[in-house]
Amino acid sequence: MSLPGAPAGHPLGTGRGGRRGPVAVVVGGGLAGTTAALALADAGLDVTLLEGRPRLGGLAFSFRRPSPVGELTVDNGQHVYLRCCTAYQWFLDRVGAVGLAPVQGRLDVPVLDAGGRPGRRLGRLRRTALPVPLHLAASLAAYPHLSLAERAQVGRAALALGRLDPADPALDGVDFAGWLRRHGQTPRAVEALWDLVGVATLNATARDASLGLAAMVFKTGLLSHPGAADIGWARTPLGELHHTLAREALEKAGVSCALRTKVTAVTRTAEGRWAVRTAAGPHAAEPLEAAAVVLAVPQREAHELLPEGALEDPDRLLRIGAAPILNIHVVYDRKVMRRPFFAAIGSPVQWVFDRTDASGLARLPGAGDSQYLALSQSAAHREIDLPAGELRARYLPELERLLPAARGAAVRDFFVTRERTATFAPTPGVGRLRPGAPTNAPGLYLAGAWTATGWPATMEGAVRSGLSAARTALTHLGRPHHDPFPASGRGSPKEAA
């Protein structure tokens, strides 16, 4: 399919309804690509989205799995967001999914210490409606997993962190663990607080995390607005949000969505447009042509597709490392956990979520009182390739230590999902490797959580990157557009009492 010649002075040609081809091609149907396609289509462009997988959603997806209790709908991993993740909330609203992934009324995280003394095993990180930083003062003062001296030092470090500018390039090359040591944080404080939050949001421990990204997470989430860190998560399978509803929204916006369509080359035409070739289908022989192309694929794939000269030092994309996430799924024959989720310390277990309802288990005829727990294990470099049997022997006893009701409960199913390249690694120095949306090739743009969003590799960062790529493309094309998140801002968390 070819794009007809554009009238002189008009890079877009005849526009919607009068063309034989797209004005913009988005390569990749994860959150970044879907967002870019929606934003471009909302601005009136003819858009085609090409995705190599048979589904949208990237690495935040669901699949069906036969189980001894019946067929389950399984998320590949537990994904959450915070109230300060305003771009992701925009995405949910745009695809009609806000009610399916609500945010808790107020931050409340149960923290279980597997080795804690009786009566002091459970602590809570929760907020009040008081202004920052007083909103966390009562919770920190009563937090049983730290000594009185450690709590005081945590408060002083938090205030010092709040004075940092996450956008300061000097912070990018500093490791977070060293900064914490210099500010009086003990190993126990790092485990029970800083890594408890940081590993889940950064996918790295403090020693492997850039101070700039860590400061961004803690300053935005805990020190910007009282409700910024309130937690939201999907009460339905992620595939319903990121594939089914997203595809419906794309189709309503007029986006042509081609799945199972892997892009193999992006090249310039003699007329200065872009030609996008795929491995199969009609575009393998005759490429799609467009005025703008957004590459919304992982950094290594982007490196393979970038034409010569599009980036200075394109090999820097290959120096952006990857970090794994391991997810362990357990179905018990009875209810063993009362809370929707909890975090753990003193144990290899990190975060545990109840997925009974979301997976469809509760509606299966033979389920009875069964409960489905999902363990999300971030920064799982040492365990990502361990056999399922070894992981079972390691984690089932840990769950029994944390959840007394699990002792004696029968395990009806146990399985593991692995994402070896779940996120980019937020190591010191990664900031200077992350490119922005524009490239040196006019009309070619980059999107993905790994690009220079200012955020770590989160769903929020992915959506922001898609909006940034669309914004840049529309500006260069001279198209008027509504921008929900100006380039200079990080978004403002909605206040919640």
Side-chain angles (χ1 to χ4, degrees), residues 382-405:
R382 296 180 179 178
E383 296 182 314
I384 192 66
D385 291 317
L386 290 181
E390 191 169 337
L391 293 169
R392 179 183 180 120
R394 178 177 176 82
Y395 280 97
L396 289 183
E398 288 297 324
L399 284 173
E400 292 181 4
R401 289 178 66 205
L402 292 161
L403 300 170

Side-chain angles (χ1 to χ4, degrees), residues 61-62 171 178 181 252 260 275 330 364 392 395 441 470 474:
F61 67 95
S62 306
L171 302 187
R181 283 194 304 273
K252 288 179 182 178
R260 296 185 174 88
V330 187
L364 294 176
R392 179 183 180 120
Y395 280 97
L474 292 167

Side-chain angles (χ1 to χ4, degrees), residues 182-194:
R182 291 191 294 275
H183 286 78
Q185 301 306 289
T186 65
R188 174 65 172 180
V190 172
E191 177 195 18
L193 183 64
W194 301 107

Side-chain angles (χ1 to χ4, degrees), residues 122-360:
L122 174 64
R124 305 188 88 93
L125 293 174
R126 47 189 170 185
R127 72 170 180 88
T128 67
L130 292 173
V132 173
L134 299 177
H135 66 310
L136 295 173
S139 175
L140 183 60
Y143 193 52
H145 304 323
L146 297 177
S147 68
L148 184 61
E150 286 170 328
R151 292 176 220 164
Q153 285 290 80
V154 162
R156 285 190 281 270
L159 292 175
L161 199 62
R163 292 190 290 269
L164 297 178
D165 177 6
D168 181 353
L171 302 187
D172 175 51
V174 178
D175 70 281
F176 187 37
W179 186 92
L180 289 173
R181 283 194 304 273
R182 291 191 294 275
H183 286 78
Q185 301 306 289
T186 65
R188 174 65 172 180
V190 172
E191 177 195 18
L193 183 64
W194 301 107
D195 270 353
L196 183 79
V197 176
V199 169
T201 52
L202 294 165
N203 198 18
T205 59
R207 71 172 181 270
D208 295 323
S210 154
L211 175 58
L213 283 172
M216 186 273 158
V217 165
F218 285 96
K219 189 169 183 176
T220 304
L222 297 178
L223 300 172
S224 59
H225 291 267
D230 299 343
I231 299 174
W233 69 97
R235 309 307 201 268
T236 193
L238 288 173
E240 176 70 15
L241 279 60
H242 300 160
H243 172 74
T244 304
L245 291 177
R247 187 165 190 182
E248 290 176 3
L250 288 164
E251 291 173 351
K252 288 179 182 178
V255 176
S256 174
C257 191
L259 304 179
R260 296 185 174 88
T261 306
K262 182 176 176 57
V263 171
T264 57
V266 177
T267 57
R268 275 286 194 195
T269 69
E271 296 80 14
R273 295 188 293 272
W274 288 103
V276 181
R277 191 178 298 278
T278 61
H283 309 310
E286 185 180 359
L288 281 159
E289 291 188 13
V293 173
V294 176
L295 294 181
V297 293
Q299 60 266 33
R300 289 186 174 272
E301 291 182 42
H303 179 269
E304 293 175 3
L305 293 173
L306 280 173
E308 186 176 357
L311 281 185
E312 293 180 13
D313 186 20
D315 288 350
R316 64 179 160 142
L317 302 190
L318 303 179
R319 298 196 293 274
I320 301 175
I325 296 179
L326 175 71
N327 292 275
I328 295 167
H329 309 260
V330 187
V331 178
Y332 287 102
D333 68 343
R334 67 192 72 170
K335 191 174 183 67
V336 300
M337 185 174 88
R338 299 189 304 272
R339 304 173 182 87
F341 69 90
F342 71 87
I345 59 175
S347 168
V349 173
Q350 294 176 10
W351 290 73
V352 181
F353 286 79
D354 182 357
R355 301 297 297 171
T356 306
D357 290 335
S359 66

Side-chain angles (χ1 to χ4, degrees), residues 16 24 34 50 101 125 187 217 235 265 268 300 321 342 368 377 396 415 422 433 446 459 465-466 468 481 493:
R16 266 184 197 278
T34 300
L50 306 174
L125 293 174
V217 165
R235 309 307 201 268
R268 275 286 194 195
R300 289 186 174 272
F342 71 87
Q377 303 293 117
L396 289 183
F415 58 99
L433 303 177
L446 300 175
M459 296 188 296
S465 77
S468 177
H481 59 281

Side-chain angles (χ1 to χ4, degrees), residues 12 16 36 82 90 144 214 268 369 424 476:
L12 300 181
R16 266 184 197 278
L82 305 182
W90 172 88
R268 275 286 194 195
D369 295 326
F424 74 83
H476 288 175

